[in-house]
Amino acid sequence: VVELGPATQGPSAGTRVAIEAVTGCGACYQCARGRYNLCQDWHHIGLTIHGALAEFAVVPAASLFPLPDSVPLENAAFLEPLATVMNTIERARPLPGTPAAVIGPGPFGLLHVQALRAAGAGPILVFGRPGDEARLDLARRAGADEAVVADREGAVAHAARWTDGIGMGLVVETAGTPEGVQTALDITAGGGTLATLGLTRHTEI
């Protein structure tokens, strides 16, 4: 924290903080119930308001969370995406041994691999596109049982091979493409769970 605005209460200047990226209006039905992410007038740093790729950023004091001295800033940078990942795990609640797949080996995808492995899910498959080879290698090192470049047809074949044709019990889509969403649907088992986190403007189901 560099400075607090006039008549603002919050962590004092010099405090190291993490930042909640999403804010709501603070007065609507959803905000009153603590679900500010569902506010109709929500804002997200980097999406609807100026991002943080600057020397300074202005955020509501209520969005600041002081960091313990034991948390390095390099680790704190992962708190916001990791919170989203843990929301997936808490909502899906995969049982140990649940076959899981991640579509898209970007930062969200790789964090999901680690969280799924920690939750006991498995086997864990990761599917990427041409150009993702280095990230797929990271996925294997992060705990994926298989991480490959695959189109829809290839992903279906891999999922069938690992599950005796049943499909994946949990699929997490982080690619943010219509093909990624459709691939996720194609490989999810009957009665399975699909979590889609990619930002796709248009897709067809």
Side-chain angles (χ1 to χ4, degrees):
V1 176
V2 175
E3 183 180 357
L4 293 176
T8 300
Q9 293 184 339
S12 60
T15 304
R16 299 178 332 127
V17 294
I19 300 172
E20 163 63 87
V22 178
T23 58
C25 70
C28 70
Y29 174 89
Q30 298 290 5
C31 285
R33 285 153 180 79
R35 299 186 295 189
Y36 50 87
N37 59 307
L38 300 179
C39 176
Q40 293 298 302
D41 189 29
W42 66 274
H43 289 283
H44 191 298
I45 297 173
L47 291 179
T48 63
I49 55 178
H50 292 305
L53 294 178
E55 186 176 359
F56 300 101
V58 178
V59 298
S63 297
L64 303 179
F65 297 89
L67 291 170
D69 292 337
S70 59
V71 177
L73 291 177
E74 291 81 1
N75 291 358
F78 284 96
L79 286 174
E80 193 278 332
L82 186 58
T84 301
V85 171
M86 295 314 300
N87 184 57
T88 302
I89 301 300
E90 290 176 359
R91 295 283 296 274
R93 295 194 177 277
L95 295 173
T98 299
V102 175
I103 311 293
F108 269 129
L110 295 173
L111 286 171
H112 274 91
V113 170
Q114 294 178 71
L116 288 167
R117 180 56 70 200
I124 300 172
L125 313 183
V126 180
F127 299 113
R129 304 172 70 177
D132 285 337
E133 287 79 6
R135 290 180 170 189
L136 292 167
D137 180 58
L138 280 175
R140 286 186 287 272
R141 289 192 280 158
D145 294 287
E146 184 175 52
V148 295
V149 172
D151 57 13
R152 282 176 58 187
E153 184 176 329
V156 169
H158 282 283
R161 179 167 59 83
W162 279 88
T163 63
D164 293 327
I166 296 171
M168 311 306 291
L170 171 61
V171 180
V172 180
E173 181 277 319
T174 65
T177 65
E179 182 181 7
V181 174
Q182 188 59 58
T183 299
L185 286 164
D186 290 345
I187 66 174
T188 302
T193 299
L194 166 58
T196 178
L197 286 85
L199 297 176
T200 306
R201 290 190 179 277
H202 302 286
T203 191
E204 183 176 291
I205 298 177

